[in-house]
């Protein structure tokens, strides 16, 4: 098995947007995705395991076994303005480059099956200096038309490299006939970075006309912090910047 | 060839339980599986080779060539109480993470083909301190209902990580619509650890209502010790704890 | 996905020659291929992504996202003398040996589909000493008949090893029933090496009876230099010879 | 492409024996296989390339390009006593474990297609001490019946490990319903080792009732030596024992 996908439900979606929210810099994407899932009551409909995830199981203190996984949730817009969503959420990215491509290929295959034409990837954009208040937004896009939509949100053009699934999905989506768009919040990379997540969520809400309450964002931040803690990863004070853990978990 | 499976026989089984007994910490799973095969006269019906096993052959002193392999044995319960079993036994796990996933995928595919709905993985749970007398049992499960069944046996909930096939099978089985359950015996990791194996076998016997004599367990321990010895691996006295060999053989 | 190919158009070609122009020593092949594409107004018709490319996106200063890719262009000869061409151009080779084989296999499959029977790979042949003026040409071929054609151009026989796609395509093409031919220009490996590219282009033009103006070659050199610069790779003065960057980009 | 096979001819063979003669310790198998091909005028009928061979081309001083390859030759026995043969000859083994399995799988698939039921692998068995005069023979087999046939030839049972394709083919052949047999000549590993090759060839000739003149064995030894030399590998005097080159070529 290179990868195995388990489909729990086959929703009927209209022109859904794929939102990527896997663990990464500052856990920005992870927080935003979790918040969207909780607030929109998005529903799990598929799950994917890759042979390039770690071969491990971790027991939470309630005895249940956790394991590396990526999940797909869907949300059907409640009115004409809101778009249907597919949210990619998980506790890990793939451990190898080959695995990252496999993961992105799987996600794009699945999204295409449901009629997706736009991919939005989220993340933190690491800056060495202290983040602005509020943190600045950065964007990049697969084409100029899409880029313009992002610039309207007040985001600046990224100059640099976008690592991992956030960059790869944007790079690959053209081959699936999709447009891609990457939205990153300025961060020093401390995790979980609530401020950067707030800014990214705010812009995403505007862009997709989503009616999402932001007041409970701290719940998702705390849940992410709790997950990290239960796996022995401490949240960091702003004073000591360290590297991200190369591998990340959630409940 | 990523993997090749050779099927010698296609038994008709009723709701069989897959028991994993590959080499690992303290060789606990290996001993228990070998004992079950010997006592129950379980029958070899399939064999799998992976390209992520080592590319080597070893000659025993009788000139026969041994090689890395994983075997599947079946046992048909002799009465209504005893369940049918599929026992996964072998002399190695895969050498890479990708190979471990491939191995587990193959095992679950095969088990599902015979109607399996429950996977039980065995092993040692390494503790730095001297093991209790008798060694304690630890468990983890893919879901709460299964976990409860294990706790009844007197096992405690594992807090930590379960490496290798023992953890991975439990993590993956949900995608094959199976329930999973992991049973580990406390061990300092000396091999082969007869005491830990004894405790695990005892619990397994209760759980599956297996009518297995335990008096000859030492035979399986000695066979395992002999195998290790013939490959240049010495059993260890409790005084000096060392790491497991990364690669393990049997006849 | 091991590799994904996106076909934009299916041209009808007659006995086309596959010309390989991926980044390599002195960026010789890259410059020549880019020049041919520009001068001949060759048309993009297919694009390939491999899981053994890097998992990264890079933003140019106009905000558009760039990513590792290999592209196929075609050119239909304008008269009876000129041959139809398929030009393989890109900003990277694969990162692993296995990936290089996958890439070459894909390219040969595609070329064969359009009736290709001859593969010409280009590149720089690194010499420690200062290159001759003009730089010497070196060649190698899959068979003697093809080799003779090359020697007529004034090229000398290579003595040594040809690394990467330039060598591999020649080595593999026989299995696709094609003849292969490798043409390298003497270079100290400084990049982009305009002189070596000039000599290779000159010979290629003769061999294929291509009516290509060479006066604008500097445009392709400058474009290649600009690409390197925008990715933080400085062109080198002849005084300090360094290693090639292991990974190379273009717009 | 994981592997590509090119079939030049489909001979009709009767119960052919697969003889493996790839580069290895002392180049014993390589010499014997080349001698058999030359003496028996065995005919090339298939060729295989793996993505786990090196991605390189090497030019001989006649300008022809050489590349890593494995070839299959066939020989039809000239009388009732002589058996039909399939000889696996080449200039490299695979670079990775996964590749070795792929290679063996391919070879066994092909051999089975022609009705092969017996695999004989050849090689050198490295001893630290000076080899006996004549060098001793060692053997191992997939089963006892086959082992007995080998012991009749005067070979001793190997005690130890057989690395690479020579061991792997014997280990895997059972899954293709074949019997396997390994014949190694005592060597200090100097290459090419003519004496060890002589002993192995002698035994093989007896076993298969092959009518092969051995007087020209030195021709194959010299050819192998020449190949090594042209790739910068010097034959070694018995005084200084070194490691085998990890990668080996022939014309």
């Amino acid at each position: 098995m290179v990868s195995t996908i388990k489909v729990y439900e086959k929703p009927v979606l209209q022109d859904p947007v794929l939102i990527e929210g896997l663990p990464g810099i500052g856990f920005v994407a992870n927080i935003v995705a979790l918040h969207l899932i909780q607030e929109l009551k998005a529903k799990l409909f598929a799950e994917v395991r890759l042979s390039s995830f770690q071969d491990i199981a971790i027991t939470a203190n309630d005895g249940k076994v956790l394991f590396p996984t990526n999940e797909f949730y869907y949300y059907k817009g409640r009115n004409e303005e809101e778009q249907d969503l597919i949210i990619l959420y998980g506790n890990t990215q793939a451990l190898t480059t080959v695995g990252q491509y496999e993961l992105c290929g799987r996600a794009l295959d699945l999204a295409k099956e449901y009629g997706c034409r736009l991919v939005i990837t989220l993340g933190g954009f690491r800056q060495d200096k202290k983040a602005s208040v509020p943190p600045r937004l950065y964007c990049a896009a697969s084409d100029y038309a899409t880029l313009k939509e992002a610039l309207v949100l007040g985001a600046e053009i990224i100059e640099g490299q976008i690592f991992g699934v956030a960059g790869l999905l944007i790079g690959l989506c053209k081959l699936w006939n999709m447009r891609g768009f990457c939205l990153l919040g300025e961060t020093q990379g401390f995790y979980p970075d609530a401020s950067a997540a707030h800014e990214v969520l705010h812009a995403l809400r505007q862009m997709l006309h989503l009616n999402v309450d932001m007041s409970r964002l701290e719940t998702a931040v705390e849940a992410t912090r709790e997950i990290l803690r239960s796996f022995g990863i401490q949240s960091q004070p702003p004073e000591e910047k360290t590297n991200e853990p190369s591998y990340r978990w959630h409940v």
Side-chain angles (χ1 to χ4, degrees), chain A residues 13-236:
Chain A
L13 302 175
Q14 184 157 4
D15 198 16
V17 176
L18 174 63
I19 296 175
E20 174 271 330
L22 296 181
I25 294 168
F27 284 75
V28 172
N30 228 204
I31 296 168
V32 172
L34 182 57
H35 182 73
L36 286 177
I37 290 167
Q38 291 175 340
E39 286 295 313
L40 298 174
K41 299 185 176 30
K43 208 170 154 203
L44 177 70
F45 73 104
E47 190 174 350
V48 68
R49 306 287 178 84
L50 267 81
S51 67
S52 50
F53 288 164
Q54 218 177 343
D55 59 328
I56 201 174
I58 290 184
T59 50
N61 51 17
D62 57 2
K64 210 188 156 191
V65 181
L66 310 175
F67 26 76
T69 191
N70 276 198
E71 299 168 332
F72 293 89
Y73 293 81
Y74 73 89
Y75 168 68
K76 291 184 69 72
R78 285 162 299 195
N79 53 52
E80 286 199 8
E81 276 227 308
E82 281 192 354
Q83 275 197 274
D84 288 0
L85 306 179
I86 294 175
I87 302 169
L88 168 55
Y89 181 66
N91 53 27
T92 188
Q93 294 192 18
L95 298 181
T96 63
T97 298
V98 167
Q100 295 279 68
Y101 272 85
E102 175 68 20
L103 174 55
C104 290
R106 276 290 192 164
L108 291 170
D109 280 348
L110 185 133
K112 187 159 193 66
E113 195 185 324
Y114 290 95
C116 172
R117 295 180 304 170
L118 177 64
V119 179
I120 300 178
T121 66
L122 310 176
F125 191 64
R126 197 197 302 273
Q127 302 281 35
D128 279 338
K129 62 177 169 34
K130 214 178 160 204
S132 318
V133 182
R136 292 155 86 174
L137 281 176
Y138 293 90
C139 66
S142 61
D143 60 291
Y144 290 107
T146 310
L147 185 64
K148 272 183 205 157
E149 294 179 37
L151 294 174
V152 169
L153 300 173
E156 298 164 50
I157 290 173
I158 295 164
E159 285 182 44
Q161 304 186 326
I162 309 167
F163 295 99
V165 167
L168 198 54
L169 275 178
I170 301 304
L172 286 173
C173 66
K174 192 177 84 171
L175 275 69
W176 274 256
N177 289 322
M178 300 181 192
R179 292 180 304 127
F181 172 75
C182 179
L183 192 62
L184 307 180
E186 187 187 10
T187 179
Q188 281 189 284
F190 309 125
Y191 48 84
D193 188 329
S195 314
H198 186 276
E199 289 309 298
V200 167
L201 178 59
H202 183 70
L204 190 66
R205 207 174 59 152
Q206 278 184 271
M207 195 182 183
L208 297 177
H209 309 289
L210 285 173
N211 190 7
V212 182
D213 187 358
M214 290 178 63
S215 64
R216 285 179 294 268
L217 183 61
E218 188 53 39
T219 310
V221 174
E222 185 49 46
T224 304
R225 189 178 289 126
E226 184 57 43
I227 292 158
L228 291 170
R229 198 178 296 137
S230 73
F231 289 100
I233 301 164
Q234 297 301 320
S235 309
Q236 297 156 303

